[in-house]
Amino acid sequence: MNRKQKKELRRLLSTRQLMGIDQLTEHGLKTAKGELVFYLLSPDNLSVLSSDGVRNRVRALTDLLRGLDAAELLALDSRESFQSNKNYYQTRLEQEEVPAIREMLRRNMVHLDGIQSTTASAREFVLVHRIDSKSNGDYSSLKQLEKRIQDCGFHVRMADEQDVKRLLAVYYQQDVTTEHFDRFDGEGGVRLNG
């Protein structure tokens, strides 16, 4: 297949096909290599724990993950990054000669730093549990894994369909602002007019 044919073939594929996703499931997605189940994790009361307490929780989770056949951890930003804006202001600051505009650019950079520091802990941790296509991942074993993670001192819940769509949007597009994702293009417009 030549380059032009490959390009035409890619143009005809859906977004899911391009990403290698066969379908969304109740708590994850299916690919050709099996099903992925997503667990949303957040540590519990880290600010009041001693460094040894934090270390013990991390160790317990590490030991749990070592015992799993196939698991991956994702750490995603759950907020916007202002780094490109800060880089732009810095470049403009270096080029600008008018003192009033230089001061305005400097204040904008300080403002962005303030926003960034107040949301510094806005990270989202996701455990991705891979289930072989040969083995049927029954719901009870998925709930047992959720309970075992809770026993390590973490808040955890299996992702729902909207969570999965949001995670994909953050991973592929760095879109942290969309709150609801439609199942089909134009679904929101049909609902408004219906």
Side-chain angles (χ1 to χ4, degrees):
M1 187 179 292
N2 66 30
R3 187 179 215 182
K4 188 174 181 178
Q5 290 171 325
K6 285 181 183 179
K7 187 175 181 180
E8 181 62 23
L9 181 63
R10 286 182 62 87
R11 190 183 68 76
L12 297 174
L13 294 175
S14 70
T15 304
R16 283 188 186 175
Q17 289 170 326
L18 289 170
M19 293 187 321
I21 297 172
D22 293 340
Q23 77 179 70
L24 294 178
T25 63
E26 187 177 359
H27 301 291
L29 52 91
K30 285 187 179 179
T31 68
K33 296 180 180 178
E35 184 176 347
L36 304 176
V37 177
F38 297 101
Y39 293 90
L40 305 176
L41 300 170
S42 59
D44 190 20
N45 297 327
L46 286 184
S47 59
V48 297
L49 287 177
S50 67
S51 59
D52 285 338
V54 172
R55 199 172 296 114
N56 288 338
R57 286 197 181 172
V58 170
R59 187 176 300 118
L61 183 61
T62 302
D63 292 342
L64 174 68
L65 295 177
R66 281 186 189 144
L68 297 178
D69 290 336
E72 301 169 25
L73 274 178
L74 297 176
L76 305 170
D77 285 329
S78 57
R79 61 163 170 80
E80 291 187 72
S81 172
F82 300 108
Q83 191 59 45
S84 60
N85 299 50
K86 288 172 51 178
N87 291 342
Y88 172 76
Y89 286 144
Q90 183 62 42
T91 303
R92 285 282 293 121
L93 187 63
E94 292 168 1
Q95 297 169 349
E96 188 57 55
E97 296 177 7
V98 179
I101 294 177
R102 287 179 58 82
E103 178 61 20
M104 182 185 69
L105 291 168
R106 189 190 64 71
R107 285 185 183 185
N108 284 342
M109 288 175 62
V110 168
H111 175 70
L112 290 179
D113 282 337
I115 293 171
Q116 201 101 24
S117 65
T118 59
T119 61
S121 62
R123 300 285 281 171
E124 190 163 16
F125 298 95
V126 182
L127 173 68
V128 183
H129 181 61
R130 188 177 300 272
I131 301 171
D132 288 346
S133 55
K134 296 171 187 140
S135 68
N136 290 334
D138 65 292
Y139 191 71
S140 64
S141 67
L142 299 177
K143 290 303 278 181
Q144 286 174 1
L145 177 57
E146 184 177 36
K147 174 69 173 124
R148 289 172 57 199
I149 295 169
Q150 286 174 348
D151 292 344
C152 293
F154 290 84
H155 286 294
V156 62
R157 68 179 177 84
M158 283 191 278
D160 61 24
E161 183 180 349
Q162 284 297 309
D163 291 324
V164 172
K165 290 178 180 180
R166 184 178 47 77
L167 292 171
L168 291 171
V170 169
Y171 187 80
Y172 284 106
Q173 293 182 282
Q174 287 73 48
D175 177 1
V176 294
T177 58
T178 304
E179 292 182 18
H180 177 78
F181 295 92
D182 294 332
R183 293 188 68 126
F184 306 100
D185 268 349
E187 180 181 359
V190 171
R191 270 191 307 226
L192 291 176
N193 296 329

